[in-house]
Amino acid sequence: EASLTRRILGVKIDNHLEARPQSGIEKADLIIEIWVEGLTRYLALFQESDVDSLGPIRSMRPTDFSMQNAWSTTFINSGGQHWIQDIGNKSTVRWFEEPEGTFRINGRYPPHNLYGETLALRALDTRGDYAKPIDPFWNFGEMPDDADEANQITLTYPYEFSSSWYWNPVTKRYDKSTAGEPHYYLDAEENGQRVSAETLLIFEMDVYTTCYDCATGSAVPVTSTTGNGPAWVFSDGHVVSGTWSRETDTEWFTLLKEDGTELIVPPGKMWLTLGRNGGTAYQ
């Protein structure tokens, strides 16, 4: 009950080979996987949950703000190009670059060694909690009885990069692989555990490369998160397909089934992947 008005904390998580296994991501209430340069990075969102060691933390991209504008989040990152910072300054998001509450660890080399503690990071945003609870992200409910089976999901990207998920009937979760290898995180005791999710959402979107202000920076991939496109919800070894849509990035997504009724999302620890158009396959 106390967390219903708690402001959402977003933290940009590194996914470079040298950044794996990450720490603390299993505690996130929702992770959004976003294409950057040659690989994906994660936007880990915390409302109810907290963790003492989260990371590695990396730099901002334009899509980070379009995915957080609906909630006026607190956003932690390790910096970014000036033209991307300008986008952040014009957003509803309050962002912080390597602020108090982050720390560097031994045993990993920069830039893959910046971590944070979420309670300290929350305290940076002087706006405090929301005045009233935000609306639920989705229309939550159970998977329909007639949903198709889905035991393996693969999202492909350029440079032979991929993100794959495999249904585990023992744990009742989807287990993650990245670039063809099982993906692990480190738990609080520094033991490796398989990255997994109870509910997966995949939105296919247009991805383009731009720098907005090429005189002061270099181009990066940007995902177009407004308009509409294909959507899938995976849970309990099954899938339902439909569409995502929204007119502006200050509103959250509407999910509809192919018959026009609302797409139901099973509750649980969630992972949302922004896939490239035509890059999703499942069986």
Side-chain angles (χ1 to χ4, degrees):
E1 191 76 18
S3 68
L4 291 177
T5 58
R6 202 180 195 194
R7 187 175 299 276
I8 295 173
L9 173 72
V11 183
K12 189 64 177 290
I13 302 296
D14 196 357
N15 193 30
H16 190 276
L17 181 61
E18 298 297 325
R20 304 177 215 146
Q22 295 93 343
S23 296
I25 60 174
E26 80 283 2
K27 298 294 186 180
D29 299 306
L30 171 67
I31 290 182
I32 304 175
E33 186 167 8
I34 304 169
W35 178 248
V36 291
E37 302 88 83
L39 73 167
T40 58
R41 287 183 184 168
Y42 307 147
L43 179 59
L45 300 175
F46 295 79
Q47 186 178 29
E48 186 274 335
S49 301
D50 282 296
V51 64
D52 292 334
S53 181
L54 174 66
I57 299 171
R58 281 304 302 271
S59 56
M60 65 176 71
R61 295 293 184 272
T63 310
D64 298 328
F65 296 102
S66 70
M67 292 303 293
Q68 296 180 88
N69 271 332
W71 316 308
S72 302
T73 61
T74 307
F75 178 39
I76 310 302
N77 57 82
S78 65
Q81 298 184 61
H82 289 300
W83 66 271
I84 302 177
Q85 294 182 14
D86 289 342
I87 293 173
N89 292 337
K90 296 173 183 176
S91 74
T92 69
V93 176
R94 187 160 298 178
W95 61 273
F96 299 87
E97 176 183 348
E98 297 192 29
E100 185 177 351
T102 61
F103 50 89
R104 300 255 176 205
I105 67 167
N106 296 323
R108 293 195 179 187
Y109 295 101
H112 312 296
N113 66 343
L114 182 68
Y115 288 69
E117 190 269 305
T118 58
L119 281 175
L121 298 174
R122 291 182 186 279
L124 298 168
D125 195 334
T126 57
R127 296 176 297 177
D129 290 344
Y130 300 118
K132 60 180 181 179
I134 60 173
D135 293 332
F137 283 15
W138 323 105
N139 184 9
F140 290 107
E142 299 302 315
M143 209 68 170
D145 294 335
D146 60 351
D148 293 334
E149 288 190 15
N151 296 307
Q152 178 177 330
I153 307 107
T154 300
L155 296 100
T156 55
Y157 298 89
Y159 313 111
E160 299 183 351
F161 187 87
S162 64
S163 179
S164 302
W165 297 88
Y166 302 89
W167 174 245
N168 186 329
V170 176
T171 63
K172 301 297 183 182
R173 288 172 172 254
Y174 283 97
D175 293 335
K176 191 178 194 306
S177 290
T178 297
E181 298 294 332
H183 196 135
Y184 296 92
Y185 69 89
L186 296 178
D187 64 18
E189 287 73 40
E190 297 290 302
N191 297 315
Q193 307 287 349
R194 190 71 177 269
V195 173
S196 65
E198 293 172 298
T199 298
L200 303 174
L201 298 99
I202 296 174
F203 299 170
E204 284 194 345
M205 297 173 163
D206 289 329
V207 180
Y208 59 96
T209 300
T210 188
C211 58
Y212 292 8
D213 182 3
C214 297
T216 63
S218 58
V220 298
V222 178
T223 302
S224 180
T225 67
T226 56
N228 59 78
W232 294 267
V233 176
F234 299 88
S235 183
D236 197 30
H238 291 77
V239 60
V240 176
S241 62
T243 61
W244 64 266
S245 66
R246 65 174 179 173
E247 294 184 2
T248 70
D249 66 16
T250 55
E251 60 186 89
W252 191 233
F253 296 91
T254 296
L255 300 181
L256 297 178
K257 293 194 295 186
E258 294 173 351
D259 62 5
T261 59
E262 195 165 6
L263 193 60
I264 303 299
V265 178
K269 289 294 185 178
M270 295 189 175
W271 195 289
L272 166 60
T273 300
L274 307 186
R276 299 167 65 93
N277 281 326
T280 305
Y282 66 88
Q283 60 187 41

